Amino acid sequence: MEKNKTGKPALPARPTDSSGRTGRYIKYAIGEIVLVVIGILIALQINNWNEKRKLISEEKEIIVSLTEELKSNIKLLKFSLETNNEVTNATEKLLDSIKNNTINSFNQYEVIYSLSYNPVKLNLPVLEEILTSDNKLITYKKKIIDDLRRLNSRQTRIIKDLNYLDEIYNFRISEFTIRMGLTYDVEESKNLTLTLSDLKQEGISKAQFRSLISLTNDLRLSWINSQSAMLKKAKQLLEKLE
């Protein structure tokens, strides 16, 4: 047996445990990978949390804008309904007088007033933006999205009804007022009359005269009903938001 420098027998060399060392390396590598994965997951979670907080903040701003938009359009609807209901009431009185043959002459102002309507166009850009990209709603989506769609549908109906009124005004009422020489000056028209004889001279019967006023009134009533329905829906939605 060989001896070392001290004179003592040399110990045999320890065998190299390569499999154990490889196992430790693998465990270390797996641990590193796990730590990296955990770090990535934590970073993603923080990023998602920040994104959600950002979206919620943006949603609050959108809801505030939508609330103000609804309030503004509710005022417009109320004003339009009040004005057009007054016109409708006056029109129905005029139609009754024509139908019952109670008078043969009419004040020009009353005639023009009965053939008029107070146009109002609602402005709903926030509502339209939400419906275009409703992913901007986080907490309110399920609560109000159906209401927004119904409100938009009402708005579409109002536009159609207004288009019908515009069409009859442009193609029939304007032609009638020009043909009969009616004036749109309020003070002047209050002192002028339109008689059945005037209509007859222009080849317009009393039935045609009444039909024109009645048609305008029916279209205006349809428009009023659409506005009333939208006003109701807008108020209900506003209650949910406030």
Side-chain angles (χ1 to χ4, degrees):
M1 180 179 292
E2 295 182 0
K3 296 182 180 181
N4 55 22
K5 294 180 180 180
T6 62
K8 294 180 179 180
L11 296 174
R14 296 177 65 182
T16 303
D17 188 1
S18 59
S19 61
R21 186 180 301 171
T22 302
R24 287 196 296 272
Y25 286 156
I26 291 174
K27 289 179 180 179
Y28 176 79
I30 292 174
E32 288 292 317
I33 293 172
V34 170
L35 288 175
V36 170
V37 171
I38 291 174
I40 293 173
L41 291 175
I42 292 173
L44 288 173
Q45 185 65 29
I46 293 173
N47 183 64
N48 290 337
W49 181 77
N50 287 331
E51 284 295 320
K52 185 174 181 179
R53 186 175 64 174
K54 181 181 176 182
L55 288 173
I56 290 175
S57 178
E58 291 177 353
E59 182 193 43
K60 288 180 180 178
E61 294 179 3
I62 292 173
I63 295 301
V64 169
S65 298
L66 178 61
T67 299
E68 294 303 314
E69 182 174 276
L70 286 173
K71 289 179 179 178
S72 175
N73 285 280
I74 284 173
K75 288 181 180 179
L76 286 174
L77 284 168
K78 286 181 177 179
F79 175 76
S80 178
L81 286 167
E82 181 181 352
T83 304
N84 287 292
N85 278 323
E86 290 176 357
V87 176
T88 298
N89 292 334
T91 302
E92 290 176 350
K93 290 180 181 179
L94 179 60
L95 287 171
D96 287 340
S97 65
I98 297 172
K99 180 181 178 180
N100 298 325
N101 296 314
T102 55
I103 55 175
N104 292 319
S105 64
F106 315 93
N107 184 276
Q108 281 197 19
Y109 174 78
E110 293 178 351
V111 174
I112 293 174
Y113 190 59
S114 296
L115 293 171
S116 67
Y117 53 97
N118 180 46
V120 59
K121 293 186 178 180
L122 304 179
N123 189 26
L124 297 162
V126 179
L127 182 147
E128 293 169 1
E129 182 184 355
I130 292 174
L131 292 179
T132 302
S133 54
D134 61 13
N135 59 319
K136 291 185 177 182
L137 295 180
I138 304 298
T139 58
Y140 277 88
K141 183 173 181 179
K142 291 182 179 180
K143 184 178 180 181
I144 68 170
I145 195 67
D146 289 338
D147 293 310
L148 292 175
R149 288 175 180 147
R150 282 190 288 267
L151 203 60
N152 189 58
S153 177
R154 297 291 183 185
Q155 160 74 342
T156 301
R157 184 63 205 179
I158 286 175
I159 293 173
K160 287 183 178 179
D161 288 338
L162 182 57
N163 286 338
Y164 293 147
L165 274 167
D166 288 341
E167 184 175 347
I168 190 175
Y169 185 87
N170 292 330
F171 292 98
R172 294 188 62 180
I173 296 176
S174 293
E175 190 273 336
F176 172 78
T177 54
I178 293 172
R179 186 173 175 182
M180 299 307 304
L182 304 181
T183 177
Y184 284 95
D185 183 274
V186 175
E187 296 304 320
E188 184 179 355
S189 63
K190 287 180 178 179
N191 298 319
L192 298 174
T193 59
L194 175 67
T195 66
L196 293 179
S197 297
D198 295 331
L199 293 169
K200 188 175 182 180
Q201 287 179 3
E202 293 297 328
I204 300 174
S205 67
K206 185 174 71 171
Q208 290 173 321
F209 175 54
R210 185 177 184 278
S211 176
L212 178 61
I213 296 176
S214 181
L215 176 60
T216 304
N217 193 50
D218 290 342
L219 292 175
R220 186 173 49 241
L221 280 172
S222 178
W223 185 46
I224 287 173
N225 290 335
S226 296
Q227 290 184 77
S228 297
M230 183 164 187
L231 178 60
K232 181 180 179 181
K233 291 295 182 184
K235 286 180 176 179
Q236 291 173 347
L237 179 56
L238 189 59
E239 289 178 358
K240 288 185 178 182
L241 296 177
E242 291 183 328

